[in-house]
Amino acid sequence: MSQKKRLAVFASGTGTNFEAIAAACEAGKIPAEVALLVCDKPAAAVVGRAARHGVKTFAFQPKDYPTKVDMESAIADLLDENGIDLVCLAGYMRIIADTLLSRYGGRIINIHPSLLPAFPGARAVEQAMDYGVKVYGVTVHYVDRTVDGGRIIAQQAFPYEGHDLDELLGFVHAVEHELYPATIARLLVGE
Ligand code: GAR
């Protein structure tokens, strides 16, 4: 019998996508387990979610490392030690740099709340609303040396013509919570 794949989720905030991924693993919808949470904000709500799901957490402060190379080396060592097959960024608000990419390139994916290549970077939903778009969406993509520019794996669009940011963010999250686990599952079975 093949062993279950091991995921690491990287997150900085609320962690609703972490929750969706962990729940999908527990329900057998993703043929994997969340083996590790990596969090650069020890006080973030996602840390409590990981504890409730029994997921091992590495919560750190970037300022504890002299350089970004040191920080990413420590993270990559931890990924090695935990036998991680796939890294899923889920609201991890840091740029992944060369040290991690050289060791885990091609095995790091991200979810972004816009239809890339439109609106990369921070506050993508706000950017799209300010622009006045009528169709919003979510993208899952590989992480490379660009900012939100790696090869696209999956996208889901939806129309919205209102002006209520909170309502819109709710729709975005609902789409993410379906699309991200389904995409991870497809990747792991090699589709
Ligand atoms: C998600 O909407 C995700 O797409 C976004 O952060 C949010 C995290 O929510 N990521 C980015 O903007 C990355 N550029 P969550 O903490 O509830 O999962």
Side-chain angles (χ1 to χ4, degrees):
M1 203 177 76
S2 67
Q3 248 195 326
K4 260 194 183 176
K5 298 283 187 190
R6 293 169 67 77
L7 307 180
V9 178
F10 286 24
S12 304
T14 313
T16 63
N17 281 285
F18 169 89
E19 187 83 39
I21 295 166
C25 289
E26 288 160 11
K29 293 179 184 165
I30 297 176
E33 65 181 290
V34 181
L36 186 66
L37 168 70
V38 172
C39 178
D40 61 333
K41 297 243 177 351
V46 69
V47 172
R49 291 183 193 268
R52 287 193 287 282
H53 284 273
V55 171
K56 179 169 165 181
T57 294
F58 175 59
F60 66 97
Q61 307 250 33
K63 65 177 170 56
D64 293 342
Y65 295 91
T67 66
K68 187 156 182 169
V69 170
D70 293 306
M71 186 184 92
E72 289 204 336
S73 296
I75 295 172
D77 288 347
L78 199 65
L79 298 178
D80 289 351
E81 285 158 24
N82 284 276
I84 298 302
D85 297 294
L86 182 68
V87 172
C88 305
L89 308 187
Y92 184 67
M93 295 306 188
R94 292 195 162 270
I95 306 273
I96 302 292
D98 280 351
T99 307
L100 260 172
L101 284 172
S102 65
R103 288 171 62 177
Y104 275 82
R107 289 183 286 165
I108 308 177
I109 63 173
N110 180 44
I111 188 149
H112 184 78
S114 77
L115 292 172
L116 290 170
F119 310 116
R123 305 182 75 252
V125 181
E126 289 88 334
Q127 287 184 58
M129 183 174 254
D130 289 348
Y131 205 89
V133 305
K134 307 292 180 230
V135 176
Y136 291 82
V138 167
T139 302
V140 180
H141 63 94
Y142 284 104
V143 173
D144 65 10
R145 284 176 169 76
T146 64
V147 174
D148 298 326
R151 189 157 65 81
I152 291 172
I153 306 164
Q155 289 185 307
Q156 175 85 49
F158 64 92
Y160 181 76
E161 299 213 13
H163 301 279
D164 181 337
L165 181 62
D166 286 340
E167 179 183 56
L168 175 56
L169 286 168
F171 291 143
V172 167
H173 271 113
V175 171
E176 290 184 334
H177 299 163
E178 293 296 320
L179 184 70
Y180 208 9
T183 304
I184 294 166
R186 276 180 35 219
L187 275 180
L188 292 179
V189 299
E191 275 180 30

